[in-house]
């Protein structure tokens, strides 16, 4: 198989352009730790606060320290089938950017990616605005998005696109799902992998809410999170076409840190091609250092994650108690930071826009499911990951707006 089998011709075009000095950064001279290394008198960088962290560091795709820390963290919490090692990943300024890297280097302009409705519609911009890749929506007409039968709808989407002469290159799954707050079962994930194998598609898996999973006594059949990294591709699909993403924005509540990670365990050519434009998405080395320190501290991460999950569970119980008391229907969920509620069921106006306008009059901002290309109207996404006094104020305003 040639390189062009697993990345786009645009991606192949990036390969010769990897900055030459990346080699130098990887073997930097140090009088004690690396006396055989290369002395760098070439790069215009001379600030000496924390000499390494405030330079171009180890290159533009994340420090060696952070890659090591990500491996330790992913191997501990994501149960990968093959342990993640530094050469399986690249560090990006956030998960949105990691997905855009896929768009740039796996696909060509006008190629399409299948995404099921509802979905986080910023994907349209992430794929489209610069890389010119199109989102092709998949509808389910009442089917549960997480069930096995829903996989067939993607295949129908693929076949329809082919008939139109469009080139579908990938399926994107995002779970725990934004905005529905649920996970795909292992069995369903494997069905997606099988479908990708059948049509030679890439599988992009946004696992940004991986750790935001909590106990929900209301759901007997709650599906736990299973990382795609924990599944074997053997007999299902080309492993070079599986690409997962995770970052600090959600599970660590640190959107401003701008640290994400793209994991592609069997496709070194793809990761190499990203180096050529990594200058334009180089995460701050200060954020890189802070992230590495945080991920390396297992005692802290264990403690933080269990506290975080118990707080999500408490918030879920608190908000759903309010919803039940006020007769507001909601969709049960066991993951993510939000909850889908049916405000149309209790509002005296009908359209989503009118409901949003009522909420805005009370100075309450929430998003409507129509903004996520939902197939049904009347649903809204409430973020529940807030301290109780913030939830109280928001729910009070919601009640005032709708009554
Ligand atoms: C599903 C999903 N992916 C990616 C992102 C963007 O993450 P980041 O801030 O790491 O770019 C978000 C943010 O809301 C999201 O919901």
């Amino acid at each position: 198989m040639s390189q062009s089998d697993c990345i786009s011709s645009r991606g192949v075009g990036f390969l010769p352009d990897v900055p030459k000095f990346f080699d130098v950064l990887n073997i930097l001279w140090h009088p004690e730790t690396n006396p055989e290394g290369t002395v760098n008198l070439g790069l215009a960088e001379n600030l000496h606060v924390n000499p390494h962290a405030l330079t171009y560091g180890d290159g533009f795709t994340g420090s060696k320290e952070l890659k090591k820390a990500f491996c330790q963290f992913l191997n501990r919490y994501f149960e990968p089938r093959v342990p993640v090692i530094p050469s399986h990943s690249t560090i990006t300024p956030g998960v949105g950017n990691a997905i855009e890297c896929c768009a740039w280097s796996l696909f060509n302009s006008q190629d399409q990616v299948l995404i099921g409705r509802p979905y986080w519609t910023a994907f349209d911009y992430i794929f489209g605005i610069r890389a010119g890749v199109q989102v092709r929506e998949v509808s389910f007409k009442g089917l549960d998005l997480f069930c096995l039968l829903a996989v067939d709808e993607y295949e129908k989407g693929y076949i329809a696109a082919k008939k139109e002469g469009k080139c579908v290159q990938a399926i994107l799954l995002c779970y725990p799902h934004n905005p529905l707050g649920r996970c795909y079962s292992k069995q369903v994930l494997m069905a997606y992998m099988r479908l990708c194998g059948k049509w030679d598609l890439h599988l992009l898996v946004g696992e940004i809410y991986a750790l935001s999973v909590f106990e929900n006594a209301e759901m007997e059949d709650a599906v736990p999170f299973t990382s795609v990294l924990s599944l074997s591709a053997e007999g299902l699909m080309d492993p070079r076409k599986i690409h997962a993403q995770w970052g600090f924005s959600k599970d660590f509540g640190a959107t401003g840190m701008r640290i994400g990670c793209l994991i592609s365990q069997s496709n070194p050519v793809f990761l190499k091609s990203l180096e050529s434009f990594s200058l334009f998405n180089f995460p701050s080395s200060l954020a890189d250092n802070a992230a590495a320190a945080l991920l390396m501290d297992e005692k802290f991460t264990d403690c933080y994650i269990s506290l975080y999950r118990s707080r999500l569970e408490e918030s879920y119980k608190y908000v759903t108690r309010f919803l039940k008391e006020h007769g507001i229907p909601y969709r049960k969920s066991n993951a993510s930071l939000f909850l889908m509620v049916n405000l149309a069921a209790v509002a005296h106006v009908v359209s989503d826009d009118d409901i949003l306008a009522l909420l805005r009059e009370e100075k309450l901002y929430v998003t409507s499911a129509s903004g996520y290309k939902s197939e049904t109207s009347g649903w809204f996404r409430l973020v529940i990951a807030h301290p109780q006094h913030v939830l109280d104020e928001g729910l009070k305003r919601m009640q005032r707006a709708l009554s």
Side-chain angles (χ1 to χ4, degrees):
M1 267 177 269
S2 74
Q3 287 172 350
S4 55
D5 287 336
C6 68
I7 62 174
S8 63
S9 51
R10 177 163 63 188
V12 171
F14 291 142
L15 288 171
D17 296 327
V18 173
K20 301 282 177 291
F21 63 89
F22 277 14
D23 291 348
V24 174
L25 296 176
N26 271 313
I27 47 166
L28 272 187
W29 172 82
H30 185 279
E32 278 108 41
T33 59
N34 194 15
E36 301 303 317
T38 303
V39 178
N40 173 16
L41 296 185
L43 286 170
E45 47 177 29
N46 61 3
L47 191 59
H48 289 284
V49 181
N50 174 345
H52 202 59
L54 291 175
T55 65
Y56 285 130
D58 301 328
F60 304 156
T61 62
S63 69
K64 288 178 188 153
E65 201 53 30
L66 181 55
K67 284 188 181 166
K68 204 166 87 192
F70 258 112
C71 292
Q72 181 179 304
F73 181 79
L74 294 166
N75 291 333
R76 190 173 176 82
Y77 296 104
F78 286 60
E79 297 174 18
R81 204 184 54 83
V82 175
V84 181
I85 56 172
S87 61
H88 291 166
S89 68
T90 190
I91 310 298
T92 56
V95 165
N97 186 274
I99 297 167
E100 200 201 26
C101 283
C102 295
W104 277 121
S105 212
L106 297 174
F107 317 132
N108 292 309
S109 182
Q110 309 303 312
D111 282 351
Q112 296 193 334
V113 176
L114 296 172
I115 306 186
R117 299 168 64 190
Y119 67 95
W120 183 59
T121 44
F123 287 134
D124 293 344
Y125 305 110
I126 289 173
F127 283 110
I129 220 152
R130 297 196 293 188
V133 173
Q134 298 168 354
V135 169
R136 187 177 188 97
E137 294 167 11
V138 177
S139 303
F140 301 99
K141 301 164 207 82
L143 263 183
D144 178 20
L145 178 75
F146 301 94
C147 77
L148 211 45
L149 282 177
V151 182
D152 297 342
E153 301 306 314
Y154 285 82
E155 181 157 39
K156 286 180 197 161
Y158 174 82
I159 292 167
K162 222 172 160 194
K163 277 193 190 138
E164 288 168 25
K166 304 283 186 196
C167 181
V168 171
Q169 288 279 15
I171 291 177
L172 180 139
L173 299 177
C174 149
Y175 68 89
H177 192 271
N178 180 6
L180 299 178
R182 285 169 57 202
C183 300
Y184 296 95
S185 70
K186 219 177 252 190
Q187 190 196 16
V188 171
L189 285 173
M190 286 167 69
Y192 280 109
M193 291 167 85
R194 194 172 295 111
L195 182 63
C196 287
K198 180 173 174 185
W199 296 109
D200 201 24
L201 301 176
H202 290 267
L203 183 60
L204 311 188
V205 188
E207 302 190 350
I208 191 167
Y209 296 97
L211 304 173
S212 307
V213 182
F214 54 90
E215 293 289 325
N216 182 349
E218 287 189 318
M219 286 177 91
E220 277 169 16
D221 53 350
V223 175
F225 170 75
T226 301
S227 171
V228 73
L229 303 176
S230 70
L231 303 175
S232 165
E234 209 178 319
L236 298 175
M237 70 178 290
D238 183 343
R240 296 177 309 170
K241 296 199 162 187
I242 300 176
H243 318 284
Q245 307 90 36
W246 182 81
F248 272 73
S249 285
K250 306 300 167 178
D251 291 338
F252 281 99
T255 47
M257 205 159 165
R258 306 315 301 146
I259 294 286
C261 183
L262 171 62
I263 307 116
S264 193
Q265 290 189 281
S266 309
N267 199 334
V269 180
F270 167 44
L271 294 178
K272 187 79 191 160
S273 73
L274 299 179
E275 288 184 15
S276 69
F277 56 88
S278 56
L279 172 62
F280 314 120
N281 33 309
F282 182 15
S284 155
S285 50
L286 293 178
D288 176 310
N289 270 225
L294 198 150
L295 294 182
M296 285 305 265
D297 187 345
E298 289 182 344
K299 213 163 138 202
F300 168 77
T301 51
D302 281 351
C303 180
Y304 165 78
I305 290 164
S306 92
L307 178 65
Y308 170 58
R309 287 176 165 161
S310 70
R311 284 189 178 163
L312 282 178
E313 184 184 344
E314 281 313 306
S315 284
Y316 178 92
K317 281 189 197 150
Y318 191 75
V319 173
T320 53
R321 199 175 313 129
F322 175 95
L323 297 171
K324 281 179 211 146
E325 278 166 16
H326 292 82
I328 302 173
Y330 62 93
R331 290 204 178 116
K332 291 175 190 163
S333 58
N334 66 322
S336 80
L337 326 182
F338 24 78
L339 189 58
M340 295 301 289
V341 297
N342 187 344
L343 299 184
V346 291
H348 55 275
V349 292
V350 180
S351 80
D352 287 3
D353 284 348
D354 287 345
I355 294 172
L356 286 176
L358 285 178
L359 297 171
R360 287 305 278 266
E361 267 173 39
E362 290 296 333
K363 298 204 170 125
L364 175 64
Y365 173 68
V366 300
T367 48
S368 75
S370 32
Y372 299 84
K373 305 278 180 81
S374 172
E375 291 174 64
T376 45
S377 60
W379 291 85
F380 295 78
R381 196 191 77 162
L382 282 190
V383 175
I384 60 168
H386 287 294
Q388 206 166 304
H389 71 276
V390 178
L391 292 176
D392 283 340
E393 188 61 32
L395 294 172
K396 192 171 78 191
R397 291 180 188 208
M398 185 172 91
Q399 186 53 20
R400 219 163 42 215
L402 299 175
S403 60

